Amino acid sequence: MSRTVVGARVLITGAARGMGRLYAERAVAEGAKAVILWDRDAAALAATAAELAGGAPAGTIVAPFTVDIADLGAIAQTAQRVRTEVGDPDIVINNAGIVRGKFFWEHDNGDDIRPTMKINALAPMYIAREFLPHMMTNGTREARIVNIASAAGTLSNPRMSVYAASKAALIGWSDSLRLELAQQGFGQVKVTTVCPSYISTGMFDGARGPLLTPLMTPEYVVERVWRAMLAGKPMLMMPWTVNLARALRGTLPLPLWDRVAGGFGVYRSMDQWVGREVLAPDAVQLD
């Protein structure tokens, strides 16, 4: 893929605000053929689409679609509309997500566990399944799937049990998909799995980054993700301490790792969390 998305169709979930909007702005600025915005907040989506369209270069279409990706049936319906009205995307950025910051026994099955797993884990699979066939058979350009997971999917953490489970599922599926595509000769489709620590978006207000792990800005993360996506990088973990923690967790005996993680503040990082519990699938998703 070129150093830009010029001429590509780019689909972004949770695109009405936050980091999803930042991805959309980047796609518009680089001259994408179509920037396809998915979000469940119809009003915010319409406002974002109008602003983006107003600054779009000639030849770039901004196409908003109101859809709640927690409704798995709606994904197929909306995907068919995208194919009919805009065309299959060349790039899919699965960005939308929600978080619950509480002990597991405080989660409600219907209000907490089910939507977290649907939006964070199942919806990216459903969306990718809709558009993969075209990506695999399209011989005109490379394709990209970007799955925004979380460092929480690589390390256990109190008050994040269901969220961590959803992101661990996303990581396992995303990287397996990458391997399957390469193994079966569809190397033109690159999958990038993104595992960030906390990001200053509002979703994790009150959370404290562990020692040596400051909160990252949305702009910094979007820039890193964008470059990784264009390069077809398989895995992006940030900041560097996420890789270090993952290595230590896999090397040290569990009791010793628990002491290290406790000393670095990993297991206390959500104690003061006051962020928004529910996000409309909205690019503020990144941790």
Side-chain angles (χ1 to χ4, degrees):
M1 181 167 283
S2 68
R3 295 294 180 180
T4 70
V5 299
V6 61
R9 296 183 181 92
V10 184
L11 186 152
I12 304 155
T13 65
R17 59 175 67 83
M19 293 181 65
R21 174 166 177 152
L22 292 178
Y23 291 122
E25 290 174 353
R26 186 70 175 261
V28 168
E30 292 188 2
K33 182 175 183 178
V35 182
I36 305 160
L37 313 176
W38 281 23
D39 204 287
R40 73 181 180 187
D41 187 334
L45 182 63
T48 294
E51 292 178 20
L52 291 175
T60 295
I61 299 169
V62 177
F65 292 85
T66 302
V67 55
D68 182 355
I69 62 172
D71 180 353
L72 301 178
I75 290 174
Q77 297 170 1
T78 308
Q80 182 56 37
R81 285 187 57 206
V82 169
R83 283 190 287 266
T84 301
E85 299 174 21
V86 185
D88 281 277
D90 307 295
I91 298 167
V92 171
I93 302 177
N94 281 312
N95 163 78
I98 61 173
V99 64
R100 299 291 195 268
K102 57 182 80 172
F103 296 118
F104 175 70
W105 52 87
E106 296 172 342
H107 287 74
D108 178 82
N109 282 340
D111 293 337
D112 299 319
I113 297 175
R114 187 179 298 118
T116 299
M117 298 306 294
K118 280 185 174 180
I119 292 171
N120 292 359
L122 290 178
M125 298 184 198
Y126 276 54
I127 293 166
R129 183 62 185 84
E130 286 292 329
F131 299 118
L132 256 177
H134 174 78
M135 293 179 174
M136 294 164 67
T137 57
N138 180 20
T140 60
R141 68 178 302 139
E142 291 188 354
R144 298 286 188 267
I145 296 175
V146 179
N147 297 312
I148 307 299
S150 169
T154 68
L155 296 172
S156 305
N157 197 18
R159 301 178 189 264
M160 299 187 81
S161 57
V162 176
Y163 179 77
S166 71
K167 294 302 186 178
L170 181 61
I171 293 168
W173 161 72
S174 180
D175 205 45
S176 294
L177 173 60
R178 172 187 68 83
L179 292 169
E180 291 171 349
L181 288 166
Q183 184 186 74
Q184 297 304 309
F186 298 105
Q188 77 277 15
V189 185
K190 306 293 187 185
V191 180
T192 298
T193 308
V194 182
C195 300
S197 184
Y198 298 122
I199 301 171
S200 56
T201 59
M203 187 173 180
F204 283 93
D205 280 353
R208 296 174 298 178
L211 187 66
L212 304 177
T213 309
L215 269 66
M216 297 175 290
T217 66
E219 293 78 10
Y220 170 77
V221 174
V222 167
E223 172 65 24
R224 291 283 309 277
V225 172
W226 200 263
R227 284 192 277 123
M229 177 268 292
L230 290 175
K233 184 174 182 177
M235 184 79 67
L236 175 62
M237 295 190 174
M238 62 183 124
W240 64 273
T241 49
V242 173
N243 266 318
L244 175 61
R246 189 185 188 198
L248 291 174
R249 173 64 182 83
T251 303
L252 299 176
L254 186 56
L256 179 55
W257 162 249
D258 282 345
R259 289 200 295 273
V260 171
F264 274 66
V266 175
Y267 291 168
R268 289 300 205 177
S269 62
M270 287 289 285
D271 282 3
Q272 305 301 317
W273 178 80
V274 293
R276 295 188 295 274
E277 278 205 343
V278 179
L279 279 177
D282 150 330
V284 184
Q285 197 280 282
L286 280 150
D287 321 297

